[in-house]
Amino acid sequence: MINELNVHIFDYIFSINEDIKEDIKEDENQYRNELNNKIHEISDIVDFWQEYECYFNDRCVLFAKTLGGTSIVYNNFPRFKIDTRKCYLEYKLNEIKISIDNNGDFIASEVEKKLVGIENCARKAILDYCEKKGVIEYKGKVFISADNHPAYAIIYQNIKAIIHEKNDYLFNQSIVQNIFNGNNYGTVNQTNNIENVDEKIYDVILEKLDALKLESNLDDNKVQEIQECCHKKDKNKLVQFLKEIAMGTGTNLIATGILAMFGLM
């Protein structure tokens, strides 16, 4: 669902909605033109919404057919569905985690590159999610509020990366981690000393199946087939599914992360 090509669109929608929620932005109508401009950078606007409408609140866009063709009419500014919000936050978490892995620490300038174009309220929501999931730690006051703005300023110096031992981190079931860097993937040796590896992969896949469905646009039949493979403990078929998904999209963080996690790339 979310990839390197379209993530800036999801960033913008998330950012605007976080500000609207905090009453920092009031008239959502003025942001629709900017949203269309961002969509137009990568896609025809009608094509985009035909593909992605299902990830946002019902009837946020209407398809108006005229003699000149089909056009988009916004019923309201798009908002993430619950599953979409979860998938988006995990995507941003993985971006920040990769930055930490590459730099060996929380480097504010590098993390900010992943948050460019995102307003502070949305940045706070992303960082709070990372803190909740154990990727970063707040060492002191991080967010400075002013009036009704809960994150008027952010003190990045008070954010610390939490560095886990590799094996402990790989099997933190709260998130599927990207443990790869370029072409440097994990190997089978990473899991040789872990007990019940085969049992663990079924648990991880089932836990992440909803997010995997969203990110990969899996139909219900494919989801059911994956569930059955987990229940039957058919590891070979599951690995085949994951590889097909990862290769089919080229940017599927969840499928690629699970494969790398268990040394199956």
Side-chain angles (χ1 to χ4, degrees):
M1 177 184 71
I2 303 174
N3 55 51
E4 293 178 359
L5 187 64
N6 66 24
V7 66
H8 71 289
I9 298 171
F10 285 84
D11 286 341
Y12 184 74
I13 294 172
F14 183 76
S15 187
I16 294 298
N17 275 294
E18 289 300 301
D19 276 0
I20 290 174
K21 185 172 69 175
E22 298 295 341
D23 294 325
I24 295 170
K25 289 183 169 62
E26 296 180 358
D27 181 11
E28 63 184 38
N29 294 324
Q30 63 183 299
Y31 308 110
R32 296 175 186 178
N33 287 339
E34 180 62 23
L35 175 58
N36 282 342
N37 290 337
K38 291 181 180 296
I39 293 173
H40 192 66
E41 291 174 6
I42 65 165
S43 171
D44 176 81
I45 295 172
V46 173
D47 289 345
F48 177 88
W49 283 114
Q50 285 178 335
E51 181 173 357
Y52 291 102
E53 178 191 14
C54 60
Y55 300 111
F56 297 88
N57 56 302
D58 293 343
R59 297 182 63 79
C60 63
V61 295
L62 304 175
F63 296 89
K65 294 185 178 180
T66 65
L67 293 177
T70 302
S71 61
I72 290 293
V73 177
Y74 287 97
N75 196 32
N76 49 59
F77 193 82
R79 299 188 304 275
F80 290 171
K81 289 184 176 179
I82 293 174
D83 285 343
T84 309
R85 181 183 176 89
K86 178 180 178 183
C87 190
Y88 171 79
L89 288 172
E90 291 206 359
Y91 186 98
K92 301 308 290 187
L93 179 146
N94 278 311
E95 285 190 322
I96 291 174
K97 176 61 178 64
I98 290 172
S99 172
I100 290 171
D101 285 346
N102 289 345
N103 295 286
D105 201 355
F106 184 96
I107 307 297
S109 59
E110 293 299 317
V111 171
E112 283 194 302
K113 292 178 183 178
K114 308 298 182 183
L115 304 176
V116 65
I118 302 176
E119 299 293 338
N120 280 358
C121 280
R123 291 187 179 199
K124 181 180 185 301
I126 292 167
L127 292 170
D128 282 348
Y129 187 81
C130 291
E131 194 268 342
K132 178 181 177 181
K133 294 297 183 179
V135 172
I136 60 175
E137 177 184 359
Y138 295 158
K139 298 186 296 182
K141 187 176 181 63
V142 173
F143 305 105
I144 298 176
S145 59
D147 296 327
N148 65 334
H149 199 309
Y152 184 79
I154 301 176
I155 308 174
Y156 289 100
Q157 292 82 355
N158 286 348
I159 302 175
K160 173 185 176 183
I162 298 179
I163 307 299
H164 296 261
E165 292 295 326
K166 183 174 289 184
N167 284 338
D168 289 341
Y169 193 65
L170 289 180
F171 290 95
N172 180 352
Q173 292 191 45
S174 62
I175 46 179
V176 173
Q177 300 297 339
N178 288 299
I179 59 167
F180 51 93
N181 179 13
N183 294 320
N184 182 22
Y185 293 98
T187 66
V188 176
N189 291 334
Q190 289 175 327
T191 61
N192 281 348
N193 296 324
I194 303 297
E195 296 180 359
N196 302 320
V197 168
D198 284 351
E199 293 295 327
K200 202 75 175 179
I201 192 171
Y202 307 127
D203 293 340
V204 170
I205 291 172
L206 288 172
E207 181 186 349
K208 296 301 170 187
L209 191 53
D210 286 343
L212 186 64
K213 177 183 177 180
L214 281 172
E215 188 177 25
S216 308
N217 293 322
L218 299 181
D219 60 38
D220 291 338
N221 290 334
K222 179 65 72 174
V223 171
Q224 184 176 355
E225 199 170 353
I226 292 173
Q227 288 174 325
E228 290 176 356
C229 285
C230 287
H231 295 318
K232 292 178 180 178
K233 302 189 185 305
D234 189 342
K235 179 180 175 183
N236 290 334
K237 197 168 183 179
L238 280 172
V239 171
Q240 180 182 343
F241 281 148
L242 291 174
K243 287 185 176 181
E244 288 174 357
I245 293 169
M247 293 177 65
T249 64
T251 55
N252 189 290
L253 296 178
I254 296 174
T256 306
I258 294 173
L259 290 168
M261 177 186 294
F262 292 97
L264 298 170
M265 294 299 298

